[in-house]
Amino acid sequence: MIKAPRGTRDILPPDTALWNHVETVVREVFRAYNFQEIRTPIFESTELFARGVGEETDIVSKEMFTWEDRGRAESDKGQSLTLRPEATAGIVRAYIEHKLGDRGLNKLFCIGPMFRRERPQKGRYRQFYQIDAEIIGPAASGSESPARDAEVLEMLATLLDRLGITDWTLELNSVGSSAERVKFNDALRIALEPEKDKLCGDCQRRAVTNPLRVLDCKVPEDQPIINTLPRISQFLDEDSRKHFASVQEILKAVGVDFKINDRLVRGLDYYTRTAFEFTHGALGAQNAILGGGRYDGLSEALGGPPAPGIGFAIGEDRLVMTLAEKTPAETVVRKPDVYIAPMAAMNAEAARLARELRRRDLVVDLGDENFRLKKSFEAATKAGAKYILIVGENEVKADTFALKNLATGEQVSVPRADLAQKIRG
Ligand code: HAM
């Protein structure tokens, strides 16, 4: 038997109804904040992620699905391509390529699959889905303002509340400008030098390549040493400090709770200043429902104009998983309103009726004249239909049909013209 590749999965009905429900609510909420949809390719040049996300990150150094293009055209030959591990780099690439800065401030979102070769476990897949949103534009459009950071965070709080996920925690930090981070990284390197041999293997490597990431270590034995390390807050300059204070001030004013976590560093290199995660206890080890932050230098790192930005990505798999505990998929599935059971030689008449009722926005399941009545009833019950509608020769002649409520057993005779209304109830 051929199975889906490791770390990928099929999302089946009725679960798909829950996914659609989430996406419908997301689109409604995003609309209220004037976000518009963007779609970018699911594969891009490998260089985009190397330069955008950062060579030293786990994502780029070990988790990407990368291949060399075998195209015969000179322009394709030997081109290294990668399935997108995240959406931000591609959106910023599109921003640069199509000069979206000319439009002023852009509020963009996209929903789609991302790919990372991680060790699969609950809530962690090799193909997973993100709901990603970005605010990006020239500084003159206000893209750098702490008002944008707060707006994005308030929107997320609203979205989660609307979905009925209320017991989340917003963890907030400022990771400083890139200049501040250079100083911080140097200080960490110095502080780690005498201690690093006592840390886990990953941290020993990070202490050299990307000391910031040591702060993200979850190994219990490493924590006493990590707790003594310098914190980014000691390295923020006046402007960064003010920016972070404004974000907090607005969040308090609009009533969005948050917790400062000065060890929150995030796993991608483009972040500057505000960085955040929303966590949820029920998720276990992979408890981040979403993460994001500011990336004021990313456009320039990709060869574009200055274009400060802030955004986030929700792990849709994790969001749906959290939601499923309270809202079983069955409760959001729309079951058939009616199952039409054609008697012998009545397939065409039944199809006509189905067409009429579907045009009146009813969900119609259509049977087959070869089914015996008993089998039709079984099929209608299995599909969860509210009514069964019998279409026999006599009914067609009289233009009046037998309609039976499958829950109550009540059966009535209904003229064709009244059917839709009667079924709708
Ligand atoms: P990220 O933290 O790498 O950020 O991913 C965001 C979210 O995607 C995570 O919080 C998690 O819910 C979900 N996620 C990540 N990896 C997996 C996986 N293997 N399986 C299931 N879910 C996963 C980013 O990707 C940034 N691009 C977010 C961003 C947008 N920052 C600014 N703009």
Side-chain angles (χ1 to χ4, degrees):
M1 200 209 327
I2 300 175
K3 292 190 175 166
R6 186 166 129 82
T8 72
R9 61 200 182 123
D10 303 303
I11 299 165
L12 305 171
D15 293 348
T16 38
L18 210 49
W19 286 72
N20 282 328
H21 168 69
V22 163
E23 289 171 19
T24 302
V25 175
V26 161
R27 286 172 194 279
E28 272 167 26
V29 171
F30 285 9
R31 186 83 276 280
Y33 292 77
N34 198 26
F35 275 79
Q36 289 180 299
E37 185 161 0
I38 181 173
R39 299 192 186 194
T40 63
I42 64 162
F43 63 89
E44 298 264 5
S45 72
T46 306
E47 191 191 350
L48 173 68
F49 303 113
R51 271 165 62 185
V53 176
E55 297 269 15
E56 304 296 342
T57 59
D58 284 354
I59 295 176
V60 172
S61 66
K62 43 185 196 200
E63 295 170 359
M64 297 205 300
F65 289 93
T66 296
W67 71 98
E68 195 173 295
D69 196 277
R70 286 188 304 197
R72 268 186 247 146
E74 219 30 65
S75 56
D76 294 342
K77 216 177 255 170
Q79 200 190 173
S80 181
L81 298 171
T82 292
L83 287 179
R84 62 181 182 192
E86 60 103 50
T88 313
I91 292 176
V92 175
R93 193 243 341 114
Y95 173 91
I96 298 166
E97 189 170 332
H98 306 289
K99 300 190 171 52
L100 298 184
D102 294 351
R103 306 180 183 186
L105 194 67
N106 290 265
K107 291 170 136 183
L108 305 168
F109 77 94
C110 85
I111 302 177
M114 308 292 154
F115 305 85
R116 298 182 191 175
R117 192 184 282 102
E118 294 195 82
R119 199 171 48 78
Q121 64 179 78
K122 182 178 176 235
R124 194 161 76 189
Y125 311 98
R126 290 182 167 180
Q127 173 171 338
F128 59 99
Y129 295 79
Q130 282 189 347
I131 298 163
D132 183 287
E134 313 289 350
I135 301 184
I136 181 170
S141 69
S143 55
E144 220 169 340
S145 166
R148 299 287 71 81
D149 307 42
E151 184 179 32
V152 155
L153 291 165
E154 189 272 328
M155 176 170 86
L156 283 164
T158 299
L159 172 64
L160 294 177
D161 289 347
R162 269 276 278 285
L163 285 168
I165 300 172
T166 46
D167 37 358
W168 45 262
T169 306
L170 162 56
E171 299 193 12
L172 197 59
N173 194 19
S174 174
V175 296
S177 66
S178 48
E180 288 151 13
R181 260 214 321 283
V182 170
K183 287 189 209 146
F184 180 46
N185 258 318
D186 288 345
L188 281 175
R189 220 173 252 126
I190 292 167
L192 282 165
E193 187 47 46
E195 307 282 358
K196 69 171 193 275
D197 295 343
K198 297 175 211 152
L199 295 173
C200 69
D202 277 344
C203 282
Q204 293 189 16
R205 188 173 45 80
R206 292 179 189 132
V208 181
T209 57
N210 200 353
L212 204 70
R213 300 284 305 152
V214 172
L215 295 173
D216 209 23
C217 173
K218 303 280 185 324
V219 176
E221 294 74 27
D222 288 4
Q223 301 311 310
I225 294 176
I226 295 172
N227 284 332
T228 67
L229 295 174
R231 291 300 145 97
I232 183 72
S233 51
Q234 303 161 246
F235 295 83
L236 298 184
D237 68 15
E238 182 69 11
D239 282 351
S240 290
R241 243 192 284 267
K242 266 199 191 146
H243 193 279
F244 194 36
S246 300
V247 176
Q248 296 176 52
E249 188 197 352
I250 303 174
L251 287 178
K252 283 180 189 149
V254 295
V256 172
D257 290 339
F258 59 88
K259 203 172 87 185
I260 302 290
N261 174 0
D262 63 1
R263 276 179 56 175
L264 181 77
V265 288
R266 312 271 303 123
L268 304 89
D269 280 353
Y270 49 61
Y271 288 111
T272 55
R273 294 190 170 168
T274 312
F276 57 86
E277 276 177 7
F278 280 69
T279 57
H280 192 274
L283 285 170
Q286 303 300 319
N287 68 350
I289 309 184
L290 68 95
R294 198 161 258 297
Y295 45 86
D296 292 344
L298 178 55
S299 173
E300 284 138 297
L302 297 175
I310 179 160
F312 61 82
I314 303 172
E316 194 175 358
D317 306 74
R318 295 184 193 175
L319 185 65
V320 171
M321 200 188 291
T322 309
L323 194 62
E325 284 166 20
K326 292 181 193 141
T327 313
E330 288 77 13
T331 62
V332 296
V333 173
R334 187 161 168 209
K335 297 274 172 56
D337 297 301
V338 61
Y339 182 98
I340 300 184
M343 310 313 294
M346 286 295 126
N347 265 357
E349 285 297 339
R352 260 184 61 199
L353 260 173
R355 183 167 158 90
E356 282 167 29
L357 295 177
R358 284 168 178 154
R359 282 185 172 176
R360 306 282 300 268
D361 284 335
L362 291 170
V363 179
V364 178
D365 228 357
L366 183 54
D368 187 301
E369 62 192 17
N370 293 316
F371 285 9
R372 290 180 185 287
L373 200 56
K374 182 160 174 275
K375 188 167 171 191
S376 293
F377 268 90
E378 279 165 10
T381 307
K382 207 168 197 176
K386 216 180 309 163
Y387 289 98
I388 187 164
L389 179 70
I390 316 287
V391 183
E393 212 175 335
N394 294 339
E395 281 86 353
V396 171
K397 268 195 200 123
D399 215 22
T400 293
F401 300 84
L403 184 70
K404 183 166 184 163
N405 184 319
L406 283 163
T408 64
E410 183 203 12
Q411 185 169 325
V412 283
S413 214
V414 187
R416 179 185 289 260
D418 300 342
L419 272 174
Q421 209 187 348
K422 173 70 191 167
I423 290 167
R424 194 166 287 117

